[in-house]
Amino acid sequence: LSLLKRWTAPIQRVYSCSPTVLWVACLICLAMALLSFVPTPIGNMQKSGEIGYAGKNLECKGVHRCICPRETICAEDLQSLVYLGVARATAYVLYPLVIVIFLTKANNLRTLLQRTYLAVFIPFYDLHDLHVAAGTIASIASLVHTIVHFLRWGSRGELGLLLRSQVGVTGLVAIVCLGFVSLPMVIPYLKRRISWERRKMAHYLAVPFAMALAAHA
């Protein structure tokens, strides 16, 4: 329990940093993810015979509508649709979080904004708690996103997509980099045994993480 409180402390303190816009942006992105599960033309849900990719016509299995715009995100049954729904929700929520993660450490930009009227509402001089909170939530969302993709591809016998598709390879690169970036900063055992300098150097893996993320979708 004490470990959980220690990990969630930055998230609890961040509410004093007026991050309302961030949470609203996350909710909007979550709503956009859910909208993809309504019928076309608004969403991506299609009937049997309408779904498919590369000239392949596929059938929904046990559901009236399903999704399969390309091989890596096929979901033709209820179980796959649930996995895909969780994956998309966590992916869409990541967008504003990743933006905040980088912007909160853009020191020149923060110094410039601190001289504007926006500083009345946002403490640009001290956004570290917001950075830690966004990073912690993004790490959890990324882990959940990865797990449900493993489960979905595994249930379909398509784990080979991890190494033979752009989505799979970039996802692996991103989650490995994220592990080196976040774990030494949030796990007390690692923080005690890894020097600050090495943890700081590992943090620069956020750059290849962002590049892999940009190519992931």
Side-chain angles (χ1 to χ4, degrees):
L1 184 60
S2 61
L3 182 61
L4 179 62
K5 289 181 178 179
R6 194 181 310 167
W7 284 4
T8 57
I11 301 175
Q12 295 169 6
R13 292 197 303 269
V14 81
Y15 285 99
S16 64
C17 296
S18 302
T20 306
V21 175
L22 171 61
W23 308 131
V24 170
C26 287
L27 289 175
I28 291 174
C29 290
L30 180 60
M32 291 175 62
L34 296 178
L35 275 176
S36 66
F37 287 88
V38 301
T40 53
I42 297 175
N44 301 127
M45 297 286 278
Q46 295 179 309
K47 297 179 180 179
S48 293
E50 297 177 344
I51 65 168
Y53 61 92
K56 297 181 180 179
N57 292 323
L58 304 173
E59 296 290 328
C60 299
K61 302 173 183 177
V63 290
H64 184 58
R65 292 177 182 268
C66 53
I67 295 176
C68 190
R70 58 181 184 270
E71 183 181 17
T72 54
I73 55 173
C74 266
E76 301 152 299
D77 54 49
L78 181 60
Q79 183 184 52
S80 294
L81 283 170
V82 171
Y83 287 148
L84 184 61
V86 176
R88 282 198 169 179
T90 51
Y92 277 58
V93 167
L94 273 177
Y95 293 137
L97 291 172
V98 171
I99 292 172
V100 167
I101 287 169
F102 282 93
L103 288 183
T104 49
K105 292 302 176 181
N107 293 332
N108 289 337
L109 177 61
R110 290 194 301 113
T111 301
L112 176 64
L113 292 175
Q114 184 60 33
R115 300 171 183 170
T116 68
Y117 290 113
L118 290 174
V120 175
F121 307 99
I122 302 175
F124 292 106
Y125 62 88
D126 183 17
L127 294 178
H128 182 69
D129 283 345
L130 184 57
H131 175 81
V132 174
T136 302
I137 297 171
S139 298
I140 295 171
S142 298
L143 180 61
V144 173
H145 180 85
T146 302
I147 290 172
V148 292
H149 269 314
F150 267 96
L151 292 173
R152 186 171 63 85
W153 284 346
S155 67
R156 295 171 55 85
E158 297 176 341
L159 282 176
L161 289 172
L162 285 168
L163 298 177
R164 62 181 174 86
S165 69
Q166 178 176 322
V167 170
V169 173
T170 54
L172 284 175
V173 171
I175 198 65
V176 169
C177 289
L178 185 61
F180 284 102
V181 169
S182 61
L183 294 181
M185 291 294 188
V186 298
I187 297 180
Y189 178 85
L190 295 177
K191 290 181 72 172
R192 289 194 302 267
R193 285 160 177 78
I194 302 176
S195 67
W196 163 253
E197 291 77 12
R198 290 182 178 178
R199 287 188 285 127
K200 179 68 174 178
M201 288 298 296
H203 235 53
Y204 286 109
L205 287 173
V207 176
F209 163 76
M211 295 172 65
L213 205 61
H216 183 58

